[in-house]
Structures are given as C-alpha cells and as structure tokens.
Amino acid sequence: MIVRDHKDAEASAVDEDKFISRRYTLRADGMGHSVHETYIKPGKALHMWYKNHKESVICIEGEGRIEDLTEGGSWELKPGVLYALDKHQKHILSSEKGMTVLCVFTPSLVGPEDHDAEGSYPLYDDDGTLIKH
C-alpha cells in the first residue's frame, strides 16, 4: 500500500511561473497512472497539449476555465467539475484568483517532466531516458 501526504508530495514538486505541481504517485510506484495536485497561480493561463499523455482533471478548490483549442468549447471550472483530455486536445487552463486541481496522467509521469514549447510533456522510459519529445 502506498500512503503519502502533502509533505511527501512537496519533495517532488515542480514550481514554475504559472503553476505548482505536487506529484503524489509516479511511474516507479507501478500504478499505471500518476496523480498530481496542481495549483494554478492567480491570473495565469497555461497553453498545453499533452500529445504523449491522456489526462483527467478535477477541480477541488478555486475557480477557473478550460478552453478546448482542438474541438472547440470553453467551460467554467469549480470544485467538483472534471474534464478529461481523451483525444490529446490542445487547451488553455486558466484561473483569475488561483485554483487547485487533481490530475491523473496515463502513461504515468516519471518525475522530471516539464512542459516544452508546445505545452507538452516528453515521454520518458522507466529509467528516465527520453523516448519521445
């Protein structure tokens, strides 16, 4: 059994200009997915395209917006609202006052991933070797 708390996730946190991602589980945990708590900083918009991963996201605190740049549409996010990027949609995630979301990635992230210029995470092998950018 894996049991981790917020302090444990802080050890693997990625803190950037627009967000903080606390990674609770990663590929080494063998779950087939990774779980992250992400805080979108106030007034920030993230342009993303997870071309190597699928992601499900549920808002747990604050409010924001998700805009689908691939299929069209825009939705308000508030606690209890989920969106899933089932077709690798390009999107913009934003929040005026700050928002916390829980994210599940498949395949699992290894840990060092950071968004590239397209807003995507590269795909790593289990040992951290880059497979696909």
Side-chain angles (χ1 to χ4, degrees), residues 49 51-52 114-118 120-124 130-133:
W49 176 30
K51 58 186 176 181
N52 300 313
D114 195 1
H115 292 97
D116 63 17
E118 294 178 306
S120 186
Y121 284 144
L123 193 58
Y124 286 98
L130 183 64
I131 297 173
K132 182 178 176 184
H133 193 53

Side-chain angles (χ1 to χ4, degrees), residues 66-94:
I66 180 73
E67 181 180 356
D68 184 336
L69 302 175
T70 301
E71 299 177 319
S74 181
W75 296 267
E76 295 292 325
L77 301 175
K78 59 184 179 182
V81 176
L82 174 137
Y83 68 89
L85 302 167
D86 61 334
K87 297 177 188 133
H88 306 281
Q89 294 93 333
K90 292 181 182 181
H91 61 285
I92 299 173
L93 180 62
S94 62

Side-chain angles (χ1 to χ4, degrees), residues 2-67:
I2 300 167
V3 178
R4 297 196 174 114
D5 63 20
H6 192 77
K7 185 177 177 182
D8 296 326
E10 279 291 329
S12 63
V14 174
D15 189 345
E16 301 219 351
D17 176 55
K18 297 180 180 182
F19 69 94
I20 301 169
S21 175
R22 295 173 182 90
R23 295 165 179 192
Y24 280 79
T25 63
L26 293 166
R27 187 167 315 153
D29 295 310
M31 298 297 297
H33 61 268
S34 56
V35 177
H36 313 247
E37 177 189 270
T38 302
Y39 175 67
I40 309 303
K41 295 178 180 179
K44 301 298 181 176
L46 288 79
H47 294 248
M48 296 179 283
W49 176 30
Y50 293 126
K51 58 186 176 181
N52 300 313
H53 299 84
K54 291 189 177 182
E55 181 191 31
S56 295
V57 179
I58 188 165
C59 178
I60 60 169
E61 185 175 68
E63 295 180 354
R65 174 173 288 284
I66 180 73
E67 181 180 356

